[in-house]
Amino acid sequence: MIDPSLRDLYQEVILDHGRNPRHFHALEDASHEAQGHNPLCGDRVHLYLKIGPSGLVEDIAFEGKGCAISMASASMMTDLVLGKEVKEAKILADAFYQLAKGEPVEAPLRPEDREQIEVLGGVSEFPMRVKCATLAWHTFEAAFEPKDGAGQQELREAMSE
């Protein structure tokens, strides 16, 4: 549960990202991309990534349409994973899934990373919004799988459960 004194700040951050999404554009030279869709509410995210030879997320962008939570989550995720190794970004995604389910995060995270994902962790109090908040993160993981491969299937399953 979120500390009530931080709830207003968190809501302010989410509203700001929802209204002014960062990295909201197509990425012409993307090396990886995926599209996520939440059939329950219609939210859509098209994620673009440019991964460098060392496995670093050199650039990331998204386009999409959806509720404030899904757009804020995509915006915050792009801020968070930009400049990180893909492996580290996937650890953040797993940590975020745990938070969204209201579970304790077991992964060792940098304090600044933990603070950022905890902003969206309050969504665990609203189960109907968890899929909205996790859409961009599932789409991030699907971008590393072959089209119509296991990752795409997992994305479809995660969004339809």
Side-chain angles (χ1 to χ4, degrees):
M1 175 175 256
I2 296 177
D3 178 344
S5 67
L6 296 176
R7 186 177 304 237
D8 289 344
L9 172 63
Y10 292 166
Q11 288 178 347
E12 200 173 298
V13 170
I14 289 170
L15 287 174
D16 180 49
H17 275 271
R19 291 178 183 147
N20 308 296
R22 282 62 157 182
H23 313 284
F24 190 81
H25 57 86
L27 194 60
E28 297 297 325
D29 58 346
S31 60
H32 297 72
E33 60 184 284
Q35 295 186 48
H37 175 231
N38 182 350
L40 298 176
C41 64
D43 290 354
R44 292 186 178 274
V45 171
H46 189 144
L47 186 66
Y48 307 89
L49 295 137
K50 183 176 179 183
I51 307 299
S54 64
L56 211 63
V57 179
E58 294 181 347
D59 204 356
I60 185 168
F62 78 100
E63 296 178 307
K65 187 174 182 181
C67 67
I69 294 290
S70 69
M71 294 296 102
S73 182
S75 176
M76 293 169 74
M77 181 198 68
T78 58
D79 269 352
L80 194 58
V81 304
L82 181 63
K84 290 194 170 52
E85 291 183 14
V86 171
K87 187 174 165 181
E88 186 180 7
K90 288 183 176 181
I91 290 171
L92 285 168
D94 288 340
F96 179 68
Y97 298 143
Q98 290 172 321
L99 272 174
K101 292 178 188 172
E103 300 172 356
V105 174
E106 297 174 8
L109 302 176
R110 295 181 206 169
E112 62 271 17
D113 292 342
R114 179 178 295 273
E115 183 178 314
Q116 288 191 34
I117 64 170
E118 284 179 345
V119 168
L120 284 168
V123 76
S124 67
E125 297 176 25
F126 307 97
M128 295 297 291
R129 307 312 298 261
V130 169
K131 291 189 187 311
C132 300
T134 59
L135 176 62
W137 296 83
H138 284 296
T139 306
F140 172 80
E141 291 188 316
F144 296 95
E145 300 294 332
K147 289 184 178 177
D148 296 325
Q152 296 293 326
Q153 181 61 32
E154 287 176 15
L155 174 61
R156 284 191 290 273
E157 289 172 4
M159 291 297 111
S160 64
E161 291 176 352

